[in-house]
Amino acid sequence: MFYFLLRRVGGGIFLLFVIVTVTFFLLNAIGNDPARQILGPTASAELVEAKRAELGLDLPVAVQYVNWLTSAITGDLGTSWYSSQPVTELLGFALPPTLSMVIGAILVSTVIGTVIGVVAATRRGAVDRGLQFFSTVIQAVPAFLVAIVLAVVFAVQLGLFPATGYTSFAASPSDWLASIVLPVTALALASIASIALQVRGSMIDVLRQDYVRTLRSRGLSDRSVLLRHTLRNAAGPALTTISLTFIIAISGSVIVERVFNIPGIGTQANTSASRGDLPVVLGVVAVTVVLVVLVNLIVDIAQGWINPKVRVS
């Protein structure tokens, strides 16, 4: 198990290195002059050159990259070129709203999707056909459209939840819950459909195995066969879907945060990218990749625990 985890962690670090390196050089290749953008078009050439030297932009790109990477390894992601705030401080404010939405969406979609998938696989008939129809419809609707409909119906017309804004859990747990219900629902709907379909397919495959028929012939109840044997063996593919769902939820949070005016990491990335604020964009990318790697590592550990063959492979 130790070498299994070591391989996964090493792969995650390599992935992080490749993505931040490619992002750094791509952003530098765009050709914008952040010093000119910060000072405005009326600034003199001397002021612009002084600003470039202050930001370190007068150094060769390779030297800038090595300097950034060296600082990032020690936990220093730099300072925003526009607000002069440390990037870690900006991300510290932006991360809780995004994690509240994404983790909430993963929990909701995993629980509801698993229940629907198990019911559809065991009952079949109308429930199964209803699941497939629901999945086709909900996956065809864009996340931003779902978010807008939810905001109009449940916030504007019915007044059940706030239409915009985010309240931290520390400030008020009840207001925090109310502020993330609609964003979590918007992110979770499509994930519920995909997880339910994956669980349904895996369950049907396992239920057709010979050992399931053998267990039933020995007199084990359907509930025991389902919960103790079938569901565990069908969980592997579903866990892979959940890890993919996390990546989709992270990317989808950019749009959902904009609809509900939530100051999350997607909003921070969008604002910084439009300004060309390289340190903040790199910080967002690095933190996002670390989160994805951590989730994949947790999923790999869970799969290795469920199925020892995964550790060997």
Side-chain angles (χ1 to χ4, degrees), residues 210-248:
D210 291 337
Y211 79 89
V212 175
R213 286 192 286 270
T214 302
L215 291 172
R216 283 174 171 162
S217 68
R218 290 179 178 177
L220 268 71
S221 65
D222 288 342
R223 181 177 180 179
S224 176
V225 171
L226 180 67
L227 297 179
R228 297 182 58 185
H229 302 280
T230 310
L231 189 57
R232 178 171 180 171
N233 289 332
L239 284 172
T240 303
T241 303
I242 291 171
S243 67
L244 293 175
T245 299
F246 179 82
I247 298 173
I248 295 171

Side-chain angles (χ1 to χ4, degrees), residues 176-189:
W176 167 79
L177 184 61
S179 68
I180 66 168
V181 166
L182 295 183
V184 165
T185 305
L187 285 175
L189 276 178

Side-chain angles (χ1 to χ4, degrees), residues 134-174:
F134 164 77
S135 302
T136 303
V137 171
I138 201 64
Q139 289 182 333
V141 180
F144 78 91
L145 187 58
V146 175
I148 292 173
V149 170
L150 290 173
V152 170
V153 174
F154 293 99
V156 178
Q157 295 183 347
L158 299 179
L160 297 176
F161 304 101
T164 59
Y166 171 80
T167 302
S168 68
F169 182 85
S172 171
S174 59

Side-chain angles (χ1 to χ4, degrees), residues 129-140 190 192-194 196-197:
R129 291 193 294 274
L131 167 64
Q132 295 184 50
F133 176 76
F134 164 77
S135 302
T136 303
V137 171
I138 201 64
Q139 289 182 333
I192 290 173
S194 59
L197 282 177

Side-chain angles (χ1 to χ4, degrees), residues 8-282:
R8 293 297 188 269
V9 172
I13 293 173
F14 178 72
L15 178 67
L16 174 63
F17 171 75
V18 170
I19 291 179
V20 296
T21 301
V22 171
T23 304
F24 183 93
F25 285 102
L26 281 178
L27 290 175
N28 273 281
I30 293 175
N32 290 336
D33 187 352
R36 171 63 69 183
Q37 291 183 5
I38 293 171
L39 296 175
T42 59
S44 64
E46 291 75 14
L47 282 176
V48 173
E49 284 303 317
K51 191 66 178 178
R52 285 177 56 81
E54 177 188 335
L55 299 178
L57 298 174
D58 56 335
L59 300 173
V61 175
V63 176
Q64 294 179 41
Y65 170 70
V66 172
N67 291 341
W68 179 84
L69 188 63
T70 305
S71 300
I73 290 173
T74 62
D76 180 10
L77 295 176
T79 304
S80 168
W81 288 345
Y82 284 82
S83 66
S84 299
Q85 289 179 274
V87 174
T88 51
E89 184 178 311
L90 291 173
L91 297 181
F93 287 117
L95 208 51
T98 301
L99 288 181
S100 296
M101 290 192 311
V102 172
I103 293 176
I106 295 297
L107 291 176
V108 169
S109 58
T110 299
V111 172
I112 298 179
T114 301
V115 171
I116 293 176
V118 170
V119 172
T122 53
R123 299 290 178 84
R124 307 299 296 271
V127 177
D128 192 16
R129 291 193 294 274
L131 167 64
Q132 295 184 50
F133 176 76
F134 164 77
S135 302
T136 303
V137 171
I138 201 64
Q139 289 182 333
V141 180
F144 78 91
L145 187 58
V146 175
I148 292 173
V149 170
L150 290 173
V152 170
V153 174
F154 293 99
V156 178
Q157 295 183 347
L158 299 179
L160 297 176
F161 304 101
T164 59
Y166 171 80
T167 302
S168 68
F169 182 85
S172 171
S174 59
D175 289 345
W176 167 79
L177 184 61
S179 68
I180 66 168
V181 166
L182 295 183
V184 165
T185 305
L187 285 175
L189 276 178
S191 301
I192 290 173
S194 59
I195 291 174
L197 282 177
Q198 184 60 62
V199 171
R200 169 195 171 274
S202 299
M203 286 289 294
I204 290 175
D205 288 342
V206 175
L207 287 170
R208 289 172 177 166
Q209 299 293 319
D210 291 337
Y211 79 89
V212 175
R213 286 192 286 270
T214 302
L215 291 172
R216 283 174 171 162
S217 68
R218 290 179 178 177
L220 268 71
S221 65
D222 288 342
R223 181 177 180 179
S224 176
V225 171
L226 180 67
L227 297 179
R228 297 182 58 185
H229 302 280
T230 310
L231 189 57
R232 178 171 180 171
N233 289 332
L239 284 172
T240 303
T241 303
I242 291 171
S243 67
L244 293 175
T245 299
F246 179 82
I247 298 173
I248 295 171
I250 282 283
S251 59
S253 67
V254 176
I255 298 173
V256 174
E257 286 175 9
R258 178 174 284 270
V259 172
F260 292 102
N261 193 27
I262 293 176
I265 201 167
T267 303
Q268 187 69 61
N270 192 35
T271 304
S272 303
S274 63
R275 290 174 169 177
D277 199 345
L278 183 62
V280 181
V281 175
L282 285 172

